[in-house]
Amino acid sequence: MNARSPIFSTRVDEIAEDIFRISTPVPASVVPGGFTFNQYLVRDDEPLLFHTGPRMLFEAVREGIDRVIPVSKLRYVSFSHVEADECGSLNQFLAIAPQAVPLCGQIAAMVSIGDLADRPPRVLADLEHLALGKHVVQWLDAPHLPHGWECGFLSESTTRTLFSGDLFTQFGEVHPAITESDILEPSEIARAGMDYYSHSPDSSRLLERLAATAPTTLASMHGPAWRGDGAALLRSLAQRLASTPTRQ
Ligand SMILES: [Fe+2]
Ligand SMILES: [Fe+2]
């Protein structure tokens, strides 16, 4: 298998104003149960990509971005935490986008990105805002939620979109781009099977901070994006984590 294989059928959908979900399904023969890798592109004066996808998908993601803007125009490449699907292609994107820099939190910069990335990152402190043009993103530190000391999330205030990373991960390779149906129960099935949360006692407090941004769109990394009362859904997740903190 390689990145140009016809099994990769990347789709691009606008899920909020000038925010595009770039999603590549991966079949059950590659990931049991099938899976999706989503990246999000904010089209603005200073375009931002959230998640790069793994290196395996670099060509597919690059082509998806090019359907919306020239990939060379990327200004920020951001991600929730340091893993292959979050930022595996970071340096490949920096190589083809001369103005692009990594955008991450302080822990990621200190522990990994200051060394791993081919250009120094723009580092965001907890709750710091960054204007992209008409969109404004805010970084929220979320250590170990769901995993990774350096973990954090971006909230976009004009569309009230929360780039929610691995939260609400679902298996399966066929999903709508965005749904208003329940995503908590399907993602709880994934959590029970994979136990990918850190069991941090701080999860409820961190989820409450995310809920305080009152998102109306959750831009999940694996599965569909979601539209609805994001604060209520995040609080429901906090309750589930508190009541079923360990693998069943
Ligand atoms: Fe992850
Ligand atoms: Fe992920």
Side-chain angles (χ1 to χ4, degrees):
M1 185 176 71
N2 62 61
R4 295 184 186 279
S5 165
I7 69 167
F8 294 124
S9 53
T10 302
R11 62 179 289 177
V12 179
D13 297 274
E14 189 171 10
I15 59 151
E17 187 176 358
D18 284 322
I19 297 181
F20 296 84
R21 173 183 180 267
I22 300 166
S23 182
T24 304
V26 173
S29 58
V30 178
V31 176
F35 209 45
T36 49
F37 291 100
N38 306 331
Q39 301 78 41
Y40 292 92
L41 175 66
V42 182
R43 182 171 60 187
D44 212 321
D45 297 341
E46 299 195 295
L48 180 149
L49 180 68
F50 197 72
H51 314 142
T52 68
R55 294 197 304 167
M56 167 179 82
L57 296 184
F58 171 67
E59 292 292 345
V61 176
R62 178 171 77 164
E63 187 273 331
I65 294 169
D66 263 331
R67 292 185 217 172
V68 181
I69 62 166
V71 69
S72 62
K73 300 296 187 188
L74 281 176
R75 179 67 177 92
Y76 296 109
V77 181
S78 193
F79 44 88
S80 173
H81 49 279
V82 179
E83 285 177 340
D85 59 349
E86 297 266 353
C87 58
S89 299
L90 172 61
N91 285 330
Q92 288 159 286
F93 281 108
L94 296 183
I96 61 173
Q99 304 303 317
V101 294
L103 181 70
C104 63
Q106 294 168 314
I107 301 299
M110 176 180 71
V111 173
S112 296
I113 300 303
D115 181 81
L116 291 179
D118 288 342
R119 283 201 283 281
R122 167 73 164 87
V123 182
L124 289 175
D126 185 33
L127 304 179
E128 184 176 350
H129 292 85
L130 177 69
L132 305 176
K134 67 180 181 180
H135 296 83
V136 178
V137 291
Q138 181 184 33
W139 178 263
L140 296 106
D141 282 343
H144 310 293
L145 177 70
H147 47 246
W149 179 25
E150 73 281 7
C151 194
F153 301 95
L154 277 182
S155 167
E156 200 289 303
S157 57
T158 62
T159 59
R160 291 168 65 186
T161 297
L162 177 67
F163 297 100
S164 50
D166 284 336
L167 303 180
F168 304 106
T169 285
Q170 291 186 41
F171 287 104
E173 60 183 293
V174 179
H175 297 283
I178 188 162
T179 182
E180 297 182 5
S181 300
D182 177 58
I183 58 171
L184 178 58
E185 295 307 323
S187 67
E188 282 294 276
I189 292 170
R191 183 170 73 88
M194 296 293 284
D195 195 25
Y196 67 93
Y197 274 67
S198 67
H199 308 281
S200 165
D202 223 15
S203 295
S204 289
R205 184 184 69 82
L206 295 173
L207 285 166
E208 184 56 38
R209 275 162 44 96
L210 300 180
T213 67
T216 53
T217 299
L218 298 182
S220 301
M221 188 180 194
H222 309 288
W226 182 83
R227 185 181 294 123
D229 182 347
L233 188 69
L234 289 158
R235 289 177 180 130
S236 295
L237 174 60
Q239 289 178 349
R240 293 295 287 268
L241 292 175
S243 62
T244 54
T246 57
R247 192 170 187 171
Q248 300 303 297

